[in-house]
Amino acid sequence: MKLKFVNINEAPIDEVNLLEEETFQYKKTLSKIDSEFLLKFEGLSMINQSYIGHIYASVSSDQADIISFLIKNNFRRKGFGSILFKKFLQKLCKKGIKSIFLEVSKQNKIAQNFYYKHKFQKVGLRPQYYKNKLSREDGYILKGLTQEIINTVS
């Protein structure tokens, strides 16, 4: 399978929005993402014959905050997330980014395990950060060091 990586602002915007909507179905007020919005971020999307997923982050000085990292359901747990993650971190590393931050729901054990496997550490808590169908959930703040993470991704 030949994978293609494209800058997030060159990604098929309809596919980006569809994946965001499918993932966050309960968010009725989710705004559509447009190309102008994506110009504010560093990011990549992964494509083979179809759209697989994307990751983008806000960058400041030598750190980045991951805003969105999504892989289509039928491509999950098959290594595509790790491939995209490593490619993205290599891109950030070339730009001098040393630290990566992100939030993950306390309830999302699969995502937590992914990040812990890639050497992220819990550095804080955001109470009631995530909205779900019925209530709000706390989010953990995680931090990883770019070079250390790249070395763990196979």
Side-chain angles (χ1 to χ4, degrees):
M1 177 183 295
K2 178 107 169 99
L3 296 174
K4 178 180 172 185
F5 299 92
V6 297
N7 198 320
I8 191 67
N9 58 15
E10 298 168 12
I13 200 72
D14 291 342
E15 294 283 346
V16 171
N17 277 304
L18 184 61
L19 183 53
E20 295 270 344
E21 288 168 11
E22 287 172 356
T23 304
F24 303 110
Q25 294 172 2
Y26 58 87
K27 281 190 161 184
K28 300 295 181 205
T29 58
L30 186 68
S31 298
K32 292 271 189 213
I33 294 170
D34 61 26
S35 298
E36 187 174 318
F37 172 79
L38 291 175
L39 286 173
K40 301 173 187 174
F41 303 102
E42 286 292 332
L44 286 176
S45 62
M46 184 167 41
I47 301 168
N48 64 358
Q49 290 149 340
S50 64
Y51 189 77
I52 295 174
H54 61 262
I55 184 170
Y56 57 91
S58 173
V59 173
S60 179
S61 185
D62 66 347
Q63 62 186 28
D65 295 294
I66 294 178
I67 307 297
S68 181
F69 177 30
L70 300 173
I71 300 294
K72 280 187 166 182
N73 279 335
N74 54 326
F75 291 99
R76 290 183 184 167
R77 307 198 56 86
K78 297 179 182 174
F80 291 101
S82 290
I83 292 167
L84 178 58
F85 199 58
K86 181 176 183 177
K87 195 78 164 170
F88 181 60
L89 292 180
Q90 288 170 336
K91 178 181 179 177
L92 292 179
C93 203
K94 287 178 186 172
K95 292 182 173 277
I97 303 302
K98 293 179 176 39
S99 302
I100 309 287
F101 292 88
L102 59 90
E103 288 83 18
V104 63
S105 168
K106 268 177 99 170
Q107 309 305 316
N108 192 344
K109 301 298 183 196
I110 292 172
Q112 288 175 41
N113 289 337
F114 176 89
Y115 295 121
Y116 294 145
K117 178 177 92 174
H118 292 95
K119 305 294 185 197
F120 276 79
Q121 295 183 359
K122 198 181 314 175
V123 295
L125 178 74
R126 293 200 194 280
Q128 300 183 10
Y129 183 73
Y130 288 98
K131 182 179 178 183
N132 66 24
K133 292 177 186 172
L134 302 173
S135 63
R136 298 189 74 80
E137 299 173 358
D138 294 346
Y140 292 127
I141 303 167
L142 304 182
K143 177 185 178 184
L145 302 176
T146 313
Q147 196 58 55
E148 188 176 306
I149 299 164
I150 289 171
N151 293 336
T152 66
V153 181
S154 49

